[in-house]
Amino acid sequence: MSGSSAALQPPADAVTPVRHPDAPAPGELLGSHYGQCFGCGHDQPHGLRLEARAGEGVTLTAEFTVQPAHQGAPGLAHGGVLATALDETLGSLNWLLRTIAVTVRLETDFVRPVPVGTTLHLTAEVTAVAGRKIYSSAVGRIAGPDGPVAVRADALFIEVKVDHFVDNGREEEIQAALSDPDQVRRARAFEVNP
């Protein structure tokens, strides 16, 4: 997005992102990174249950349907819920890099209202990497993947170690995630958001 702040402009020494060789194949459903995640978890009764699929390169597509519990104004999605959908989508990109990263900055433009019952179709891509910094952007459309733009965002993520979550999270959930016998799910539990 051309209107983003200076903090979201990659530095001159930024490099083109490279998809990790072990990243999910294009078209593959990424699945929930953590069952209790409000953005993508299927154990959250009022969560977004956003589903993301790997794209080509370091891109993905995602979608979620706005439910009555996601309202702000009567009949319309709450802006914070839409920002959450963008953040979740952008954070999922880090799985294609096989990097654990957290959101540092998220700038969102709300272009048009998103009614309850609408499926928001999102596309996202990592645009640059500079050291531990990961720059990305996303667009959300209504009325289909090629429909009118409703929301868009630029974001900055920073790579962290799993200690970030262990040191700051609630003990019960941290231990449950670390004890998961599925190595992929255990790794993905710590992939997005501070």
Side-chain angles (χ1 to χ4, degrees):
M1 253 169 39
S2 58
S4 60
S5 70
L8 292 175
Q9 299 300 317
D13 63 347
V15 298
T16 302
V18 176
R19 181 190 193 98
H20 192 280
D22 296 331
E28 188 176 331
L29 185 65
L30 298 183
S32 169
H33 75 271
Y34 178 58
Q36 290 296 323
C37 175
F38 181 78
C40 68
H42 286 277
D43 298 336
Q44 279 289 342
H46 299 296
L48 305 186
R49 298 183 179 193
L50 184 137
E51 293 196 339
R53 289 190 182 279
E56 298 291 334
V58 192
T59 69
L60 60 75
T61 59
E63 54 183 57
F64 91 98
T65 301
V66 178
Q67 301 299 318
H70 304 146
Q71 293 180 79
L76 298 174
H78 189 289
V81 167
L82 297 175
T84 299
L86 288 160
D87 187 41
E88 186 68 33
T89 301
L90 291 158
S92 294
L93 286 165
N94 296 314
W95 190 240
L96 301 178
L97 299 172
R98 296 299 292 263
T99 298
I100 298 172
V102 295
T103 312
V104 173
R105 187 174 189 96
L106 176 71
E107 290 187 13
T108 306
D109 291 323
F110 300 97
V111 179
R112 62 176 29 91
V114 180
V116 169
T118 299
T119 297
L120 190 65
H121 301 268
L122 297 131
T123 57
E125 69 175 324
V126 176
T127 56
V129 175
R132 294 175 48 219
K133 294 180 178 181
I134 302 164
Y135 298 84
S136 53
S137 62
V139 174
R141 298 174 181 272
I142 57 175
D146 298 318
V149 173
V151 293
R152 60 182 165 238
D154 287 314
L156 172 61
F157 285 78
I158 192 153
E159 184 178 354
V160 296
K161 302 291 183 208
V162 74
D163 295 354
H164 169 85
F165 301 95
V166 173
D167 293 345
N168 296 292
R170 200 166 72 161
E171 181 71 18
E172 179 180 343
E173 284 85 357
I174 296 297
Q175 289 309 315
L178 289 172
S179 298
D180 193 319
D182 183 326
Q183 289 184 353
V184 172
R185 277 203 327 243
R186 185 169 53 238
R188 286 205 66 209
F190 301 103
E191 93 179 334
V192 293
N193 300 331

